[in-house]
Amino acid sequence: MADLHTADTIGKTALPADMKNALQKAYQAFANRSNFCGVDIGYRWRHGQRTKDICLRLHVQRKLPIDALLPSQVLPTHVDGIALDVIEAAYQPSLEPGAARRSTARQPFTMGGLSCGRSGEGAGTIGLVVIDKTTGKPGILSNWHVLAGPRARCNDPIMQVEERNDEFDPRNHIANLKRWMLDRSGDAALAELLPDQPWLPLQFGGFDSISSTRSAELGELLNKTSHSPNSAQARVDGRGLYRLQYETRPGMLEYRDIEGLNLVYDDDVPVDSGRVSFAGDSGSAWVSTTSGDAVALQIGGEIGGQITSSKATGRNKQAVIACEIEPIFEKLKLRLASFEDLLIQNSQSAVFTHHQKAQATFSHNADEATPSPLWPHPQHWADSSTPQPQQIARLERHETSTFGAQIVPMVRILPNGRLPAADLSSSRSRRYNIGHEIWQNRLYPALLDYDPNFQGVFLDEAIAQRISAADDRNIHAFLSRLINGSARFDGIGLKQVLASDFRGATSYFQICDRIEQLLPRF
């Protein structure tokens, strides 16, 4: 009978059929134990070093001495003739809380490896940019617990999160949730990119393009693509089933056993603090270092992944749990996005939105007369992150044009279609002129032209009740672009307004008051 299978080298290793059968028997025998955290086929560890021996491995929350166990709790040394080893390790999915998030520059293009999440519910990572095979539309792939979670509904907004603030910022809204899965095959979700959201079929950091997916092999080396400052390499240390705890419904925690990979870093690959996983890495894609194929999607990490004395005779390195890409692609009906998909979307016959036209400036040389309709070169994308000084001048309105809005209103629609009340007095007062001439005839119709959901906004209502942004200056910039680009303000002698004109204004009435002050006095 077999004792141990030995790999010639620590590299790609095929799994014998008898081991796979033993894995299923071990799962059926031990999965009902309270301290069970997983069972897999992987390398045996001795004195903190990975050996070439391949065995069954039972993962438990805590290893106890034999004299502390009941006879029925003592584990066998073999299952179907395959040696059984025990690893002390527990795993959990993790999101990066808003308070701990690293504040980074806003990126104009959605790519794999950037942070993402639901408003107010922490952040994870975009694994890959994909194409929905049912619709042909581009989207982002990440974890269920990153994009969906216990409160998920179809079409929920998904953010590309780059700020510490967890409040909803419509400028970060890049996609809408479409489909998800949380079962034995994996923890994953698809969000469809907004029609005018710029994207690239690349991975953040190295601008690598992934052209294919495949199953992982035991022992191969993988590279993580993530917004984390220490993108790491790790080796496939095991393959099996791993138990993680999820909040599956609001306030309800459940354990789920998920098929996947156990990844552990190698001694010859330096990693800060001996860790390959940090909060916010959930959803990261793991890619083969040799072929460049995407093989796995990270779903969690080892709880308390620091080296401890209790592991001195076993594995003393932090592990990561990842589910394999191919079952996810099959179940969610996805394929990898490519530059060909980008060419089709940005073809000469494509109809561009204002947002897309604005982002197209990153793809051409300043000396060119017309922006290229193709994708931007990554170097242009990188250069665009550098703040550029702007010379702001107050122009005549005949130089205005429809603006490319970079903010979307967050509106609450009133239930019975009430029209806005201007609270006007019967006298011909200055307030009446502001409310009637500027508000009812100018600003309110301009807001409705931009988005019909502004119906029902009141003159004295606080702007922040309808439009949310991280800073008031962003709201004022939005309103200045709206006013400068709207024909509703033509013919009254108003020159182009600046965002600074509205500094300190917090209500629509105050915005109208500032506009009235900028009108010429005859």
Side-chain angles (χ1 to χ4, degrees):
M1 297 188 61
D3 184 21
L4 287 170
H5 291 263
T6 302
D8 294 333
T9 60
I10 303 299
K12 297 181 181 180
T13 304
L15 299 181
D18 56 349
M19 275 201 162
K20 296 179 180 179
N21 295 332
L23 175 66
Q24 292 300 320
K25 289 189 176 182
Y27 177 75
Q28 294 171 3
F30 308 127
N32 61 345
R33 298 200 176 198
S34 60
N35 66 342
F36 175 86
C37 295
V39 61
D40 65 3
I41 300 170
Y43 293 99
R44 182 190 288 272
W45 286 76
R46 285 291 180 264
H47 304 290
Q49 298 296 318
R50 182 191 286 113
T51 70
K52 296 180 181 180
D53 297 331
I54 301 172
C55 61
L56 277 177
R57 310 186 308 182
L58 185 65
H59 300 248
V60 297
Q61 291 181 356
R62 185 182 177 190
K63 295 172 69 172
L64 298 174
I66 292 181
D67 56 8
L69 299 173
L70 297 173
S72 60
Q73 295 176 317
V74 176
L75 294 171
T77 59
H78 294 74
V79 175
D80 268 9
I82 307 298
L84 179 67
D85 198 12
V86 179
I87 291 179
E88 183 180 336
Y91 310 100
Q92 66 179 7
S94 62
L95 292 177
E96 183 179 27
R101 187 175 307 136
R102 296 170 293 277
S103 182
T104 55
R106 187 184 307 279
Q107 310 300 341
F109 297 94
T110 296
M111 304 165 64
L114 294 176
S115 59
C116 67
R118 296 166 62 88
S119 177
E121 298 188 21
T125 299
I126 299 171
L128 299 164
V129 179
V130 296
I131 298 295
D132 183 347
K133 293 167 68 173
T134 66
T135 64
K137 295 179 180 180
I140 58 173
L141 175 67
S142 188
N143 291 149
W144 172 88
H145 68 273
V146 172
L147 300 182
R151 300 164 186 82
R153 294 182 300 176
C154 189
N155 291 321
D156 280 351
I158 302 301
M159 308 292 115
Q160 184 169 306
V161 188
E162 302 294 349
E163 303 290 341
R164 293 178 183 273
N165 193 346
D166 262 342
E167 292 184 4
F168 177 85
D169 185 341
R171 296 169 303 161
N172 292 336
H173 181 192
I174 62 166
N176 292 326
L177 181 65
K178 291 301 179 182
R179 295 194 296 278
W180 55 85
M181 57 185 285
L182 180 63
D183 54 27
R184 183 161 172 157
S185 299
D187 165 2
L190 165 71
E192 182 183 295
L193 287 168
L194 299 181
D196 61 348
Q197 176 59 35
W199 58 274
L200 291 171
L202 301 173
Q203 298 301 105
F204 179 71
F207 297 117
D208 298 318
S209 178
I210 300 175
S211 59
S212 60
T213 64
R214 62 170 172 81
S215 296
E217 297 186 52
L218 189 64
E220 73 171 310
L221 198 62
L222 305 180
N223 183 63
K224 178 183 67 179
T225 56
S226 167
H227 64 287
S228 177
N230 62 325
S231 294
Q233 289 185 345
R235 196 172 293 279
V236 180
D237 193 63
R239 295 184 65 173
L241 290 107
Y242 306 95
R243 179 165 293 175
L244 297 91
Q245 189 178 57
Y246 291 90
E247 184 184 5
T248 55
R249 285 177 285 179
M252 178 173 291
L253 299 176
E254 294 182 17
Y255 285 106
R256 295 297 174 91
D257 295 339
I258 297 179
E259 293 178 344
L261 309 174
N262 195 278
L263 309 178
V264 179
Y265 80 97
D266 272 352
D267 289 334
D268 56 349
V269 181
V271 177
D272 292 342
S273 305
R275 301 184 65 183
V276 293
S277 177
F278 289 82
D281 282 347
S282 287
S284 300
W286 284 87
V287 180
S288 170
T289 58
T290 55
S291 65
D293 300 327
V295 300
L297 201 68
Q298 181 165 328
I299 60 176
E302 186 173 347
I303 300 173
Q306 300 297 325
I307 298 174
T308 61
S309 59
S310 63
K311 296 185 179 181
T313 59
R315 192 176 69 183
N316 56 5
K317 296 178 176 65
Q318 185 204 28
V320 164
I321 302 301
C323 49
E324 297 204 56
I325 286 285
E326 291 205 319
I328 293 172
F329 272 39
E330 181 178 354
K331 190 158 189 176
L332 294 182
K333 298 180 174 60
L334 306 175
R335 64 175 175 83
L336 288 169
S338 66
F339 281 107
E340 285 75 14
D341 298 307
L342 201 56
L343 276 169
I344 293 171
Q345 177 175 300
N346 294 350
S347 65
Q348 296 286 354
S349 60
V351 178
F352 292 95
T353 66
H354 295 308
H355 190 37
Q356 286 172 316
K357 289 177 180 178
Q359 297 298 344
T361 58
F362 294 125
S363 67
H364 79 292
N365 188 288
D367 297 330
E368 295 177 5
T370 306
S372 167
L374 307 182
W375 62 86
H377 188 277
Q379 186 58 48
H380 295 144
W381 174 84
D383 293 342
S384 71
S385 300
T386 304
Q388 300 293 329
Q390 296 182 352
Q391 300 296 327
I392 301 176
R394 195 181 296 280
L395 305 175
E396 299 292 342
R397 286 195 56 78
H398 64 77
E399 298 183 38
T400 64
S401 60
T402 304
F403 72 98
Q406 296 180 8
I407 187 169
V408 178
M410 182 181 70
V411 301
R412 58 178 172 80
I413 303 173
L414 298 182
N416 50 20
R418 287 180 290 165
L419 293 177
D423 188 24
L424 307 178
S425 65
S426 59
S427 65
R428 304 292 294 181
S429 63
R430 182 169 180 272
R431 179 177 175 84
Y432 178 87
N433 290 334
I434 291 174
H436 185 269
E437 296 297 331
I438 306 300
W439 172 244
Q440 287 194 346
N441 294 341
R442 309 291 178 185
L443 183 57
Y444 179 62
L447 289 168
L448 289 181
D449 290 342
Y450 177 71
D451 192 320
N453 286 330
F454 271 110
Q455 181 174 346
V457 66
F458 291 91
L459 175 61
D460 288 314
E461 188 172 308
I463 302 172
Q465 288 184 302
R466 303 293 179 133
I467 304 174
S468 178
D471 193 297
D472 288 343
R473 291 173 295 180
N474 298 321
I475 295 179
H476 297 154
F478 162 70
L479 289 168
S480 67
R481 291 193 300 270
L482 174 73
I483 294 165
N484 290 333
S486 173
R488 303 282 184 175
F489 289 89
D490 290 343
I492 60 174
L494 182 69
K495 291 187 177 182
Q496 286 201 3
V497 298
L498 308 177
S500 58
D501 293 331
F502 305 125
R503 185 178 296 118
T506 59
S507 69
Y508 292 101
F509 176 81
Q510 291 174 341
I511 296 293
C512 293
D513 181 52
R514 303 292 177 86
I515 295 172
E516 200 272 343
Q517 294 177 32
L518 293 171
L519 291 175
R521 304 300 176 185
F522 299 102

